[in-house]
Amino acid sequence: MADTTEKPAVGHPGTRPARGDAPVPAPAPRRARFWRRLTPWLFLAVPLALLIAFTYAPIVNMVAYSFTDWDGVSPELHYTGTENYTELLTRSDLFEVFFVSGYYLAASAVQIVVALWFATVLSFDVRFRNFFKGVLFFPYLINGVAIGFVFLYFFQDGGTLDSVLALFGYHSDHAWLGTPVSANTSLAGVSVWRYLGLHFVLFLGAIQSIPGELYEASELDGANRWHQFRHIILPGIKPVLTLTVILSVSGSLSAFEIPYIMTGGATGTETFVIQTVKLAFQFNKTGLASAAAVVLLLIILAVTWLQRRLVPDDRVDLV
Amino acid sequence: MTRRAAARTLVYLSLVLASLVVLLPLGVVLLTSLKTDEELADDSGALTLPDDPLNFHNYVTAFQDGRMLSAFGHTAFILVFSIGGTVLIGSMTAYAIDRFTFRLRKLVVALFLLAALVPGVTTQVATFQIVNGFGMFDTLWAPIALYMGTDIVSIYIFLQFVRSIPVSLDESARLDGANAFTVYRKIIFPLLKPAIATVVIVKGITVYNDFYIPFLYLPSQDLGVISTSLFRFKGPFGAHWETISAGAVLVILPTLIVFLALQKYIYNGFMKGATR
């Protein structure tokens, strides 16, 4: 009896009670208890099925594929042990993509500082405040492909950037996406342009939840704006700050859209995800691609775990 | 006093500069979309105004040759089903987790929580095989299933709201003879309206803008959504920046309209969504 409680959730659609069922007068206590136990599982059946099918089953499969030489199509696959992982760590061209993440990581640092500046400035009284808020946030809502095209034209020879520089008398003859360093810097700059708004809005929300009396009290004590920032705002938004740090790290490691749309990974701009997508879907190296994905997943989980250890944040708890 | 004035100048200077950095690339694309290809070729630079500011010829080309109409149709189809599904699934999960005590409840909660830590981009290699196995590859149902199945943020948002609904409401309904489904349908779901608005907005913008999933799962030309259709402009329109710009503006415009109409809710939604 006890064990039957969880199982019916899997598939007894017919036994679902009719909606608006009139309460049966004095139901058999056994039946009633059965229904009571079954009810939460009827609500959870579909969500759990989707969760397992599209999150957990892939993870398990992915780990399994990563130890094989499977090409993703043929019925044949061979167990190769840790060969994929050795190849990943020893072939320098496969490993180089992590250096590209460095550009995005550096850009994230700039982005956090800039977002913090604007969030602080705009949480005090400023003219046209809502206009500036909207302008800073809007890029985050724009379609990634559209952003890619806007900035392809921006960096184009004779495009927006060159025209602006010409206004200041600087006639550049520079192919912005032509060399690895300049291309990666440009792409990371586009990422800052795109994601600044999200971090800005998160900081803004956190700053506004700090009670106003704190500022008034500190002003009576003779604190200036910098003191207020250092001793009230910064400690007040610490949870959000660590959250954005972790979003930035995992975002930098999994950068895909902007570089893929703009350069397709050419001129040394290939990121980890672009490489994985190419391995899996162009070169049919599902085994190797799976190993790469497992490595990325482990790194991101480790960073997340580290952040949770360093800054225990009770609001994260679901229960 | 002068220090204060200097600080204010610095503040406004930085704000104006940031606005320029945001608006200039977008503005130039708007200008470009109104130019003819001769104007673009004459080397006068990207900042010059178009001769005819009402030249919508490029929009017509982008809309027809770029198949934007069917792209908007497909996107709308995916939006309706994945948002509807997300709202239903998220609210049901939140209701079950918050209002019932059952064995394995902790495990279920942990499963949802842990899934939030797994970035979608890392597991697509294997997810692809599963979607393929269900026969959903290259159908609109693949993105719909994926968007519905992995949305932990909305479950979290619903959970916060369900928790704020007093349990005494459920109990009095139960005394009147309502069963769990009636309570969910008649009491919990209607009271979740603010949470539903948040989820619809956040999810809607995410789905509208997503590129990765449709790019992987909808390769056929006939099933383009707005992001993949726009991406395909790269081929046939190669150097025709006036058409590409028009396509980009066509895709950005709905977002701009929604943003201007619902600003307040959008800020709140993304704050709630990200600080999970």
Side-chain angles (χ1 to χ4, degrees), chain A residues 71-87:
Chain A
D71 62 2
V73 193
S74 76
E76 251 178 76
L77 77 176
H78 307 283
Y79 174 76
T80 56
T82 54
E83 207 175 88
N84 287 327
Y85 290 94
T86 328
E87 190 177 350

Side-chain angles (χ1 to χ4, degrees), chain B residues 79-138:
Chain B
L79 274 174
V80 167
F81 280 95
S82 53
I83 290 178
T86 303
V87 166
L88 267 181
I89 284 173
S91 57
M92 288 200 311
T93 311
Y95 175 66
I97 288 178
D98 190 65
R99 290 300 210 255
F100 294 92
T101 44
F102 49 95
R103 272 184 314 144
L104 301 184
R105 179 173 165 272
K106 282 222 160 100
L107 176 73
V108 170
V109 173
L111 280 179
F112 280 109
L113 188 66
L114 201 64
L117 300 179
V118 179
V121 288
T122 60
T123 52
Q124 286 316 320
V125 177
T127 308
F128 184 84
Q129 302 298 337
I130 290 190
V131 171
N132 207 2
F134 281 127
M136 291 192 292
F137 176 66
D138 217 11

Side-chain angles (χ1 to χ4, degrees), chain B:
Chain B
M1 200 60 206
T2 44
R3 242 187 97 170
R4 216 171 182 139
R8 279 198 92 67
T9 317
L10 184 66
V11 164
Y12 282 105
L13 207 64
S14 71
L15 285 169
V16 170
L17 194 69
S19 305
L20 275 178
V21 171
V22 169
L23 296 178
L24 193 76
L26 297 173
V28 171
V29 163
L30 183 64
L31 286 183
T32 309
S33 73
L34 299 170
K35 290 179 183 171
T36 60
D37 50 348
E38 292 88 33
E39 281 177 75
L40 270 183
D42 72 2
D43 216 31
S44 54
L47 296 176
T48 50
L49 292 173
D51 293 337
D52 175 12
L54 293 175
N55 165 28
F56 294 118
H57 175 75
N58 300 321
Y59 287 88
V60 176
T61 312
F63 205 77
Q64 286 174 346
D65 298 359
R67 299 217 239 169
M68 293 305 272
L69 189 62
S70 87
F72 277 109
H74 292 144
T75 302
F77 184 83
I78 294 176
L79 274 174
V80 167
F81 280 95
S82 53
I83 290 178
T86 303
V87 166
L88 267 181
I89 284 173
S91 57
M92 288 200 311
T93 311
Y95 175 66
I97 288 178
D98 190 65
R99 290 300 210 255
F100 294 92
T101 44
F102 49 95
R103 272 184 314 144
L104 301 184
R105 179 173 165 272
K106 282 222 160 100
L107 176 73
V108 170
V109 173
L111 280 179
F112 280 109
L113 188 66
L114 201 64
L117 300 179
V118 179
V121 288
T122 60
T123 52
Q124 286 316 320
V125 177
T127 308
F128 184 84
Q129 302 298 337
I130 290 190
V131 171
N132 207 2
F134 281 127
M136 291 192 292
F137 176 66
D138 217 11
T139 71
L140 291 176
W141 298 108
I144 291 173
L146 290 169
Y147 293 138
M148 282 197 311
T150 52
D151 197 15
I152 315 301
V153 175
S154 69
I155 293 178
Y156 181 76
I157 292 173
F158 280 126
L159 201 59
Q160 300 288 4
F161 266 82
V162 171
R163 223 176 267 168
S164 70
I165 300 172
V167 185
S168 56
L169 274 180
D170 303 29
E171 281 164 356
S172 56
R174 291 284 185 129
L175 286 179
D176 291 340
N179 63 28
F181 293 92
T182 320
V183 171
Y184 166 75
R185 197 164 53 98
K186 294 231 164 112
I187 296 179
I188 302 289
F189 196 78
L191 284 174
L192 284 178
K193 267 183 200 144
I196 293 172
T198 304
V199 168
V200 168
I201 288 172
V202 173
K203 192 76 189 171
I205 288 172
T206 316
V207 171
Y208 181 83
N209 287 337
D210 189 39
F211 171 69
Y212 193 51
I213 287 178
F215 172 70
L216 285 184
Y217 294 98
L218 298 174
S220 63
Q221 295 272 337
D222 298 335
L223 287 177
V225 298
I226 57 138
S227 45
T228 47
S229 295
L230 186 60
F231 185 64
R232 290 189 188 124
F233 274 41
K234 239 185 157 174
F237 300 118
H240 286 280
W241 279 106
E242 72 284 358
T243 316
I244 294 182
S245 300
V249 172
L250 274 177
V251 167
I252 296 174
L253 213 56
T255 316
L256 181 66
I257 294 167
V258 170
F259 175 62
L260 291 178
L262 303 171
Q263 268 200 59
K264 201 177 84 191
Y265 304 98
I266 290 180
Y267 291 131
N268 287 340
F270 277 97
M271 274 181 317
K272 275 183 206 128
T275 50
R276 59 191 146 101

Side-chain angles (χ1 to χ4, degrees), chain A residues 70-318:
Chain A
W70 195 35
D71 62 2
V73 193
S74 76
E76 251 178 76
L77 77 176
H78 307 283
Y79 174 76
T80 56
T82 54
E83 207 175 88
N84 287 327
Y85 290 94
T86 328
E87 190 177 350
L88 211 59
L89 297 175
T90 49
R91 252 176 72 185
S92 61
D93 58 318
L94 290 181
F95 202 73
E96 259 164 24
V97 288
F98 278 111
F99 295 110
V100 176
S101 302
Y103 286 93
Y104 293 91
L105 213 54
S108 304
V110 175
Q111 170 172 298
I112 287 176
V113 173
V114 176
L116 207 51
W117 160 260
F118 285 118
T120 311
V121 161
L122 286 175
S123 53
F124 294 107
D125 195 26
V126 169
R127 241 177 246 249
F128 308 116
R129 194 160 150 243
N130 285 331
F131 170 77
F132 288 126
K133 251 172 83 172
V135 166
L136 286 173
F137 183 61
F138 183 62
Y140 178 68
L141 303 176
I142 303 179
N143 187 288
V145 182
I147 292 182
F149 286 164
V150 166
F151 278 94
L152 268 180
Y153 191 61
F154 186 85
F155 291 119
Q156 187 88 346
D157 191 23
T160 315
L161 186 54
D162 284 346
S163 300
V164 170
L165 290 176
L167 279 186
F168 293 98
Y170 178 78
H171 292 275
S172 81
D173 195 18
H174 186 74
W176 298 102
L177 300 175
T179 65
V181 173
S182 141
N184 276 314
T185 314
S186 305
L187 293 181
V190 177
S191 284
V192 173
W193 187 89
R194 184 181 189 189
Y195 291 109
L196 181 82
L198 176 69
H199 291 177
F200 156 75
V201 161
L202 294 181
F203 291 150
L204 197 70
I207 291 176
Q208 278 166 359
S209 67
I210 297 171
E213 302 93 72
L214 282 179
Y215 300 114
E216 288 164 25
S218 70
E219 251 161 52
L220 289 180
D221 290 341
N224 62 26
R225 282 277 192 256
W226 167 249
H227 290 143
Q228 287 180 340
F229 177 76
R230 175 75 193 77
H231 297 288
I232 299 175
I233 294 179
L234 219 46
I237 64 170
K238 208 173 145 201
V240 175
L241 202 55
T242 57
L243 177 87
T244 55
V245 170
I246 186 158
L247 284 178
S248 301
V249 175
S250 67
S252 307
L253 289 168
S254 45
F256 169 73
E257 275 194 18
I258 293 294
Y260 190 83
I261 291 160
M262 289 181 62
T263 65
T267 48
T269 57
E270 189 163 276
T271 66
F272 198 84
V273 178
I274 295 183
Q275 175 181 277
T276 310
V277 167
K278 282 189 174 165
L279 283 177
F281 303 108
Q282 280 177 22
F283 305 122
N284 284 339
K285 293 195 167 188
T286 305
L288 187 60
S290 299
V294 170
V295 169
L296 179 60
L297 184 58
L298 286 178
I299 295 174
I300 291 178
L301 287 182
V303 173
T304 313
W305 177 81
L306 203 68
Q307 183 258 349
R308 294 273 146 91
R309 285 303 301 267
L310 292 177
V311 192
D313 181 4
D314 48 9
R315 288 181 315 154
V316 176
D317 208 5
L318 261 176

